Amino acid sequence: MTVDMNKSRSRSVSNGMDKVVSLAKRRGFVFPGSEIYGGLANSWDYGPLGVELKNNIKKFWWKRFVEERDDMVGIDSAIIMNPKVWEASGHLKEFSDPLVECKKCHERFRADALEEKKCPNCGASEFTVPRSFNLLFKTYIGAAEDTKSTVYLRGENAQGMFVNFKNVLDTSRRQLPFGIAQIGKAFRNEITPGNFIFRTREFEIMELEYFVKKDEWKEHFAHWQKEMTRWIKDVGIDEKKVYEVDVPDGERAHYSDKTVDFEFEYPFGQKELYGLAYRTDFDLKNHEKESGENLKYRDPETGEEFHPHVIEPSMGAERTFLAILLSAYEETDARIVLHLKPRLAPYKAAVFPLLANKPELVKLARKTYDLLRKDFSVAWDDRGNIGKRYYSQDEIGTPYCITIDFDSLEKHDATIRDRDTMKQERVMIEKLADYLSERIA
Ligand code: GAP
C-alpha cells in the first residue's frame, strides 16, 4: 500500500464542513488517524463520543433489520477470504476505477471524478491515458510474498453472506424470502478518498442480502426502498436533502440489474449515501460454478430447485454518521446544538450538582448519576456554572440535563432540561429512569 502522508488533508475538507469537522475533533467524535506522526491522509479515528454514536447507529441498524424481523439472521464473516471468492464475484476483473496521472505534478485522480479537464492540484491539463485500477487491497498470507500467497481484504461484506448461504440455510432452516445481514469493515484502495469521513479506504458497511423468488424481486425491491427511507427518517438524517436516484445502464456495479442510490446533499455536493441493488442470482450462480458446491434453494412445497435472486440494501456506517452530524448541527448566537435522536446520542443525560462545593448536593447528584448509569450512558459535570454545562452538553447532543439543587434535598426531585425546547420540569429522582426510557426508545 502506498502511504501518502497527510499533505492534502486541509484540501480534502471543503468549507461547509469545517464547523462539523472542527466540532468532531474538539469534542472527541473523530480524530485524524495517527495524528502524533503527522497523520495518514484520509484515515480517521473515532474518539470517546464518536465510538458511542457509531455503536448506537450500528446497534439500531441491527435491532431494526435483524432483531425486529423474523425473516433475517446475522453473520460475522472473515475479512480475509479465499481469493477465489473475488474471482467468482467478478471483483478481480470488474471492481476498478479509471485512473489518470497529471503529467506535470504526477498526482493521480479518478478520471470520471475530474469535473474540469484540469488537474485539481497544479492546474495543468495534460493527463496520461486512463488505466483500469483495481480497488481491492492486496496483501499476503504467511511468510512468502508471492502470487500463491496473495489474498485481498474484502471489498464488500456481501460475499461473506453468499459464501455462507448454504451454511445458513442448513443450520437455520429458513424459507424464502429471508435475509442474511452483516455489519463490518470493508477496504477499498480508493484513488481519491476525501471529504472527511465520506470516502476513506477503510470503512464499515451495514449490509444485508435478501433472498427472494425471481418473479417476486420487484415487490421486495419496493419494500426495501421504503425501509431505507424509514431508516433515514428515524436516524434523523434530513429527508429534504435525500434524493433517490435510479442509476442508469452502464453506471451500475457489474452485478446489478437495477440500483437506486440514496444521495445526500453534503456541503461538498450531492453524493451517494446508500445503495439498493437488485443483484439477481449473479453471485450464487457464480460461486456455485467456481466452488462446485450446490448453492440452490429447494422449495419445500414444490421440490423445485433454483438459485434465489437477491435484493441488497447497503449502508455505510461512516456516511450515516456524517449525514447525521450534518443534519443535527445547529448554530445560533447563543449556542451550538446537535439535535441528535436521543437513541443515538452518545449520552442520554448529564447529571449536575447545582454547586460543586456543597457536599450534600454532590452526594445526592452522585447517587442519581449512579442510579441512572445502570440503564443509560450518562455524563457527569460539576465544572463551571450551569449555563456552561448546558452549552457543553448541547454541543455533543445530550438530550437531557438533570440538576440536583437545594429543593432536591427536601423533595427528592430534580430539574430536567430538554436540549431541543430548553424547557425545564421537575421530576422525582426515582422516576427519572422511566422518564428517560419513555423518551429514548
Ligand atoms: N455490497 C454493495 C456495496 O458494497 P457500495 O455502494 O459500493 O455497495 C456500500 O458500498 C456503501 O458503503 C455505500 O452506499 C456507502 O454508504 C459506503 N461506502 C462505499 N465506499 C465508501 C468509502 N470509500 N468510504 C466510506 N463509505 C463508503
Side-chain angles (χ1 to χ4, degrees):
M1 151 184 150
T2 334
V3 179
D4 50 346
M5 301 306 288
N6 203 10
K7 60 183 184 252
S8 60
R9 172 157 307 124
S10 55
R11 204 184 57 221
S12 68
V13 175
S14 74
N15 289 339
M17 298 263 291
D18 288 355
K19 288 182 173 171
V20 164
V21 176
S22 127
L23 174 73
K25 164 113 206 255
R26 184 160 42 81
R27 296 306 309 270
F29 282 91
V30 183
F31 304 126
S34 317
E35 197 177 12
I36 62 165
Y37 287 102
L40 174 69
N42 304 296
S43 85
W44 302 95
D45 295 339
Y46 289 75
L49 297 184
V51 70
E52 294 295 335
L53 175 57
K54 205 174 181 200
N55 281 345
N56 290 342
I57 292 168
K58 291 188 283 180
K59 269 190 262 170
F60 183 43
W61 190 94
W62 198 259
K63 179 174 178 294
R64 163 76 48 103
F65 296 122
V66 181
E67 290 170 5
E68 287 179 10
R69 301 183 62 117
D70 63 3
D71 57 353
M72 196 74 66
V73 290
I75 61 162
D76 182 13
S77 66
I79 284 172
I80 300 175
M81 308 172 83
N82 188 316
K84 285 182 187 156
V85 169
W86 303 107
E87 249 172 68
S89 73
H91 281 74
L92 276 173
K93 216 167 109 208
E94 311 273 1
F95 196 49
S96 307
D97 281 336
L99 171 82
V100 289
E101 190 175 310
C102 169
K103 285 196 174 168
K104 192 168 170 215
C105 70
H106 304 289
E107 192 96 352
R108 290 168 170 196
F109 303 97
R110 252 176 73 174
D112 57 342
L114 277 180
E115 273 153 27
E116 297 167 41
K117 294 267 170 263
K118 277 197 172 143
C119 171
N121 191 41
C122 72
S125 47
E126 270 199 85
F127 295 95
T128 55
V129 176
R131 73 177 168 89
S132 187
F133 178 78
N134 193 280
L135 300 183
L136 287 177
F137 255 105
K138 211 186 258 186
T139 187
Y140 303 96
I141 287 266
E145 291 190 9
D146 55 26
T147 37
K148 269 195 271 163
S149 61
T150 301
V151 287
Y152 306 90
L153 305 185
R154 68 179 173 199
E156 62 164 359
N157 300 359
Q159 297 309 323
M161 280 78 111
F162 295 127
V163 302
N164 281 294
F165 174 74
K166 194 172 171 336
N167 283 337
V168 171
L169 210 53
D170 290 348
T171 52
S172 69
R173 309 202 170 274
R174 296 279 146 172
Q175 291 186 17
L176 294 187
F178 77 95
I180 310 179
Q182 174 164 213
I183 299 177
K185 290 249 177 180
F187 300 81
R188 294 179 191 174
N189 208 355
E190 298 279 3
I191 301 168
T192 45
N195 288 317
F196 190 37
I197 55 173
F198 173 76
R199 192 184 303 285
T200 49
R201 294 186 171 116
E202 167 183 350
F203 54 97
E204 282 187 87
I205 308 183
M206 308 181 288
E207 184 158 86
L208 64 94
E209 310 305 314
Y210 198 71
F211 299 94
V212 303
K213 290 182 179 159
K214 181 181 177 184
D215 56 1
E216 294 174 1
W217 78 266
K218 281 191 179 150
E219 67 195 70
H220 291 293
F221 194 95
H223 166 80
W224 283 107
Q225 199 165 345
K226 276 203 205 113
E227 279 299 279
M228 290 172 81
T229 308
R230 185 163 78 94
W231 161 265
I232 285 169
K233 180 167 180 279
D234 291 349
V235 293
I237 293 174
D238 185 351
E239 296 160 272
K240 295 191 291 304
K241 292 190 173 167
V242 176
Y243 305 87
E244 292 175 32
V245 178
D246 221 321
V247 182
D249 287 352
E251 289 180 28
R252 289 189 295 268
H254 61 276
Y255 48 71
S256 173
D257 262 19
K258 180 177 170 73
T259 297
V260 170
D261 274 352
F262 288 72
E263 296 186 345
F264 182 74
E265 223 179 290
Y266 299 92
F268 46 88
Q270 183 180 319
K271 296 190 186 298
E272 183 181 337
L273 170 66
Y274 300 145
L276 172 65
Y278 168 43
R279 290 182 81 127
T280 69
D281 54 0
F282 177 88
D283 299 272
L284 287 180
K285 257 190 177 159
N286 283 342
H287 284 306
E288 178 171 293
K289 203 163 123 213
E290 292 295 321
S291 67
E293 283 285 339
N294 178 0
L295 298 182
K296 291 183 198 71
Y297 170 84
R298 188 169 189 281
D299 190 307
E301 277 160 29
T302 62
E304 188 197 353
E305 283 201 4
F306 58 92
H307 293 107
H309 280 230
V310 172
I311 309 295
E312 178 195 64
S314 189
M315 312 189 207
E318 289 79 3
R319 289 194 191 173
T320 309
F321 188 108
L322 179 58
I324 286 175
L325 280 190
L326 290 165
S327 304
Y329 186 90
E330 188 198 21
E331 189 174 335
T332 64
D333 289 343
R335 59 181 192 149
I336 292 170
V337 197
L338 277 187
H339 295 283
L340 296 175
K341 292 279 182 192
R343 66 161 72 87
L344 300 181
Y347 296 121
K348 308 308 175 201
V351 177
F352 319 140
L354 180 65
L355 299 169
N357 58 0
K358 296 285 175 209
E360 64 276 32
L361 292 185
V362 174
K363 194 172 163 205
L364 184 57
R366 203 77 206 172
K367 222 171 128 186
T368 308
Y369 171 65
D370 288 338
L371 180 85
L372 294 177
R373 266 197 310 156
K374 288 187 191 141
D375 298 312
F376 309 96
S377 100
V378 183
W380 169 265
D381 197 354
D382 58 5
R383 295 159 309 159
N385 59 41
I386 291 287
K388 279 196 185 138
R389 297 180 202 160
Y390 283 158
Y391 189 94
S392 168
Q393 294 300 326
D394 286 347
E395 234 187 17
I396 60 170
T398 308
Y400 299 103
C401 288
I402 295 164
T403 306
I404 299 294
D405 56 19
F406 292 104
D407 281 350
S408 309
L409 299 176
E410 282 175 21
K411 297 188 189 144
H412 231 76
D413 64 359
T415 302
I416 183 155
R417 180 247 194 201
D418 182 300
R419 175 197 67 200
D420 297 335
T421 63
M422 293 194 279
K423 289 210 175 107
Q424 302 187 6
E425 58 181 308
R426 292 204 68 98
V427 175
M428 297 304 288
I429 290 173
E430 78 260 20
K431 292 267 162 57
L432 281 172
D434 288 344
Y435 183 99
L436 292 179
S437 298
E438 281 161 22
R439 286 159 180 80
I440 282 161

